[in-house]
Amino acid sequence: MSETENPGEHDVNDDAVGKLEALHDEEYQIQQVLADLVDNSVDANSSSIQVDFEQCTYPGEEKEYPFLDGGGYYMLIKDNGDGVPKERLFKALSRGHRRDYNEWELGHFGVGLKDSSFSQAYEITLFTKEKGGDSEIDVVRYSSCAVKARMRDIHLTPEGMVDEFEWMKNTDGYESAMEYMNSINHGTAILLEGLHKIQNLTGTDDEASIVYVNRVKDCCENYLRLAFEYYIRDGGFKVPLSEPNPEDGEMYKHKFVEIEFNDEPLTPLDPF
């Protein structure tokens, strides 16, 4: 620790790798992580959200962490919402960052994009086009591999994904995200790669692995159908407000969204 200007105060020099690896050990379930990310898309005024849970082959040799070379999986959440403003790009992928929420938004009940996502994935990449912005695709990556390689807490933009990090721009998930972003006027995609919790449990038996992954997919799909039951029903849902909606003066906020999981539209799941 180093002494600051004020006597008796000392900086905390945290271990960036250790803090990140502690998040890898958190016990959030994959369906909770996914719902939190979909929730962010709903709050961004998306009318369409697509979730891809796909098998892939990671390029390159052995990385700083397992499950990022050879066969694996990735998860990609894509929306047509407002996008992330440039001034919030790095904050959106910074741990401990908070923002103000409107009362109709669910995000303040979530477990947080970074903390929850790292509990399931080693790599998080944000792709976004801001509504009313310059139509550029902004990309920011929070990489466990990069943090471990550099031994400090860093974000990567595409300019930093070179040399030993070049593989990050050549994965199936990255290419799929860029294809989507090039097809829309505004919106966001969140890519999770190196799904360590899932791959730790798939084992080496191909048949057993397929059965387990299909169970995970079914669990994620049904969790979304239940969590967003009101928003995906025909006609959507009128969220009651304590004050008039500044957009139209009504005492409610109308929310309707179409959610697809691996190209299949989700229907509401009524718990009763």
Side-chain angles (χ1 to χ4, degrees), residues 18-21 87 92 168 244:
K19 289 180 71 173
L20 211 52
E21 291 183 346
E87 63 272 15
M168 297 177 181

Side-chain angles (χ1 to χ4, degrees), residues 84 172 180 185 199 209 237 267:
V84 180
D172 295 340
Y180 174 75
N185 294 322
Q199 290 195 246
S209 172
F237 181 66
T267 56

